[in-house]
Amino acid sequence: MKVLATGGTGYIGSHTVIELIKKGYEVEILDNLFNSKIEVLDKIEKITGVKPKFHQIDMLDEEGVEKVFAEGRFDTVIHFAGLKAVGESVAKPLEYYKTNIGGTINILNAMKKYDVKRIIFSSSATVYGDPHQPTCVETLETGRDLTSPYGKTKYMIEEILKDAAFADEDLSVTILRYFNPVGNHESGLIGEDPNGIPNNLMPIIMKVYRKEIPELSVYGNDYETRDGSCVRDYIHVLDLAAGHILAMEHMKQGTSIYNLGTGTGTTVYEMVRAFENASGEKLPYRDAPRRPGDLACLTADASKAEAELGWKATHTIEDAMRDTINYLRSA
């Protein structure tokens, strides 16, 4: 089977590409390197012994995308590519709508033209908005109370994919809703290394550790949680990668949707302590006021993925912190 990974040099994409190659799949990558680095290809080769064919093309380049599909003859697309900074999306909404939605439509048009009938989409728990309950199940209503253009693009793309699958009964769509990816490859070669100022907790912790940021801000210490800080479902990126493989191997016609999370919540303070335990160093942080739109607790019900795909997260927070420290000290 031949797979095209859009955004395949990014954080989650690169880890999934590694697992695909290890499983014997032929993989090509389409990425514009906006938020990733070309050196990732050499690292993938060092880990797997295979350097995937790479196309440095923006998915908004309709002709370029078509050429990749014309030459590639793919069986499946795994669609990671897109802009993903929540705060930036508020400041640059038109750029997010144009890139994420327009780029996806170009991918789908190329799939239709070259008869590619399988796509896995990298979605997000942000589509649930405020679910008014701490645990999300796939049957919850989506699209309500979305607080950022980033989250809205994920929701809109999900709807586009559902409509495309409804219109073409031969199309297989699998939507994977990630919760909070953390950790890095155990080799220390591949890890999360976003360009610019990150929005998520772990890359900020990593930048504080590297002294690129003076301290971590903990937004809110008075939530109704066990220590007052927000609770999130942090899932190791290797578990996410494994979820993509199983999702691809269990695809069926129509649209299938799965949460990928651990089902267990960890507070911000617990994440700080886990990082300190793994690194042996104190992490500078300060308490800050709550951010508008932050929820006290958000975790996944991933029982559907376990029942239908045979998937379950196996890595712990301690595993994620160990691999993160290994990556930081190897980079």
Side-chain angles (χ1 to χ4, degrees):
M1 184 180 293
K2 194 171 184 181
V3 180
L4 177 67
T6 72
T9 54
Y11 173 45
I12 299 168
S14 62
H15 285 84
T16 304
V17 166
I18 288 168
E19 296 307 307
L20 285 165
I21 293 172
K22 286 167 65 176
K23 288 283 188 177
Y25 295 104
E26 184 180 355
V27 186
E28 294 187 17
I29 294 173
L30 184 153
D31 202 309
N32 66 0
L33 299 178
F34 176 78
N35 200 32
S36 60
K37 297 176 174 63
I38 192 68
E39 293 80 12
V40 167
L41 294 173
D42 294 327
K43 295 176 180 181
I44 290 173
E45 183 180 21
K46 189 169 183 179
I47 293 167
T48 66
V50 176
K51 190 171 187 176
K53 186 174 181 179
F54 177 70
H55 308 273
Q56 187 173 347
I57 293 172
D58 193 303
M59 62 179 176
L60 289 177
D61 177 358
E62 190 171 1
E63 289 185 5
V65 168
E66 276 209 13
K67 185 178 179 182
V68 171
F69 275 83
E71 296 174 354
R73 299 300 177 184
F74 304 105
D75 300 289
T76 304
V77 173
I78 304 182
H79 184 31
F80 300 101
L83 300 175
K84 63 172 190 174
V86 172
E88 181 185 62
S89 77
V90 176
K92 301 177 180 179
L94 298 182
E95 188 173 335
Y96 271 67
Y97 290 123
K98 178 181 179 180
T99 299
N100 292 2
I101 297 173
T104 300
I105 289 172
N106 285 344
I107 297 294
L108 287 170
N109 281 333
M111 288 177 61
K112 183 176 181 180
K113 184 171 182 177
Y114 294 99
D115 200 34
V116 182
K117 295 297 186 180
R118 294 155 52 96
I119 182 169
I120 296 172
F121 175 55
S122 167
S123 193
S124 166
T126 57
V127 300
Y128 293 115
D130 182 354
H132 303 290
Q133 60 186 64
T135 303
C136 296
V137 65
E138 292 89 345
T139 52
L140 285 175
E141 180 183 355
T142 57
R144 294 185 308 162
D145 305 320
L146 301 182
T147 57
S148 73
Y150 163 75
K152 291 174 185 176
T153 65
K154 290 294 188 183
Y155 167 72
M156 292 175 186
I157 292 168
E158 284 195 8
E159 295 301 299
I160 290 167
L161 289 167
K162 291 175 189 176
D163 289 342
F166 182 79
D168 181 356
E169 63 181 15
D170 294 325
L171 186 63
S172 297
V173 170
T174 297
I175 294 167
L176 300 179
R177 292 174 179 162
Y178 309 160
F179 277 66
N180 297 77
V182 293
N184 301 277
H185 195 268
E186 64 266 24
S187 67
L189 293 173
I190 297 282
E192 187 168 18
D193 190 16
N195 298 326
I197 302 298
N199 186 78
N200 298 329
L201 177 62
M202 273 310 300
I204 294 174
I205 287 176
M206 293 164 71
K207 284 186 177 292
V208 172
Y209 178 81
R210 287 171 164 166
K211 298 182 170 49
E212 296 172 14
I213 298 176
E215 62 186 1
L216 168 71
S217 295
V218 178
Y219 295 104
N221 62 2
D222 57 352
Y223 288 97
E224 292 184 7
T225 60
R226 52 185 171 268
D227 63 16
S229 64
C230 291
V231 173
R232 295 291 182 268
D233 190 332
Y234 296 98
I235 175 172
H236 199 294
V237 67
L238 292 178
D239 284 324
L240 271 184
H244 287 78
I245 308 298
L246 287 169
M248 189 176 72
E249 293 173 346
H250 289 79
M251 291 191 81
K252 54 191 176 185
Q253 291 175 329
T255 302
S256 301
I257 301 173
Y258 301 98
N259 288 334
L260 294 184
T262 67
T264 300
T266 306
T267 72
V268 176
Y269 290 134
E270 288 168 348
M271 291 290 283
V272 169
R273 288 195 295 273
F275 185 86
E276 290 177 338
N277 290 337
S279 67
E281 299 179 27
K282 285 293 183 182
L283 191 78
Y285 69 89
R286 68 179 182 89
D287 292 330
R290 294 186 183 188
R291 291 183 302 191
D294 274 354
L295 305 177
C297 182
L298 192 69
T299 60
D301 180 335
S303 57
K304 182 181 177 184
E306 183 176 6
E308 296 187 10
L309 306 180
W311 176 88
K312 188 173 183 179
T314 60
H315 292 76
T316 65
I317 292 297
E318 289 72 26
D319 294 332
M321 294 304 177
R322 178 202 62 220
D323 294 339
T324 298
I325 293 299
N326 189 27
Y327 172 70
L328 286 168
R329 291 175 178 169
S330 301

